[in-house]
Amino acid sequence: MLDKELLQFAVEARKKSYSPYSGFRVGAALLTKSGKVYGGCNVENAAYTPTNCAERTAVFKAVSEGEREFAAIAVVGGKGEEPAEFCAPCGVCRQVFAEFCDPDFRIILGTPENIRVYTLAELLPLSFGKADLN
Ligand code: THU
């Protein structure tokens, strides 16, 4: 799947965002190595801390369906009707990516018209992971 198509999938997933407290709507589209796509949106809560980011919604949906091999994720977010120009994943979500994804996992940001691609190694350098527990 093309990066642009994955971003467009994230734009669609963002429409399901449940964000009545922040008004900040985020969508994600997670591509498995086998070619499946799992969408996710942020899901907020009146007690605030139970809020789940769009990226983690997508990862947890996929893992709960038996998927553990991921190639890329696209993320879009913003307060307006249309996503903002750029929305980077938070640190907690980067750490969750690191649990399942290789350093070359691709993180596709921006808009379908202006795509910016990073690797997990670029966005989470010197990370703590399962190897550190050996
Ligand atoms: N949010 C995400 O869904 N992903 C991120 O990486 C950053 C933040 C959500 C959480 C909350 O619902 C809203 O955006 C404002 O922080």
Side-chain angles (χ1 to χ4, degrees):
M1 169 173 279
L2 298 173
D3 292 352
K4 185 174 180 167
E5 291 170 331
L6 202 61
L7 266 172
Q8 279 160 342
F9 199 112
V11 170
E12 287 306 305
R14 179 176 176 267
K15 293 178 180 166
K16 307 258 181 19
S17 168
Y18 177 73
S19 42
Y21 305 106
S22 74
F24 194 85
R25 304 164 65 79
V26 186
L30 178 67
L31 178 67
T32 69
K33 286 187 179 172
S34 62
K36 281 192 226 158
V37 180
Y38 289 84
C41 65
N42 54 332
V43 183
E44 297 190 343
N45 188 280
Y48 294 176
T49 50
T51 292
N52 206 54
C53 289
E55 300 91 318
R56 278 177 289 139
T57 301
V59 171
F60 297 155
K61 278 173 66 179
V63 172
S64 68
E65 295 293 327
E67 303 284 351
R68 292 191 184 170
E69 304 260 300
F70 304 115
I73 193 166
V75 184
V76 295
K79 282 202 156 183
E81 197 54 42
E82 295 300 317
E85 276 300 301
F86 186 74
C87 175
C90 80
V92 172
C93 290
R94 296 178 199 201
Q95 182 68 28
V96 170
F97 299 156
E99 186 65 29
F100 297 102
C101 307
D102 302 325
D104 65 352
F105 175 70
R106 299 171 74 250
I107 299 168
I108 302 160
L109 306 177
T111 62
E113 294 73 36
N114 183 14
I115 299 172
R116 289 162 65 176
V117 183
Y118 301 86
T119 64
L120 179 56
E122 287 174 317
L123 296 195
L124 192 67
L126 292 176
S127 63
F128 182 88
K130 51 183 88 130
D132 295 295
L133 295 175
N134 292 335

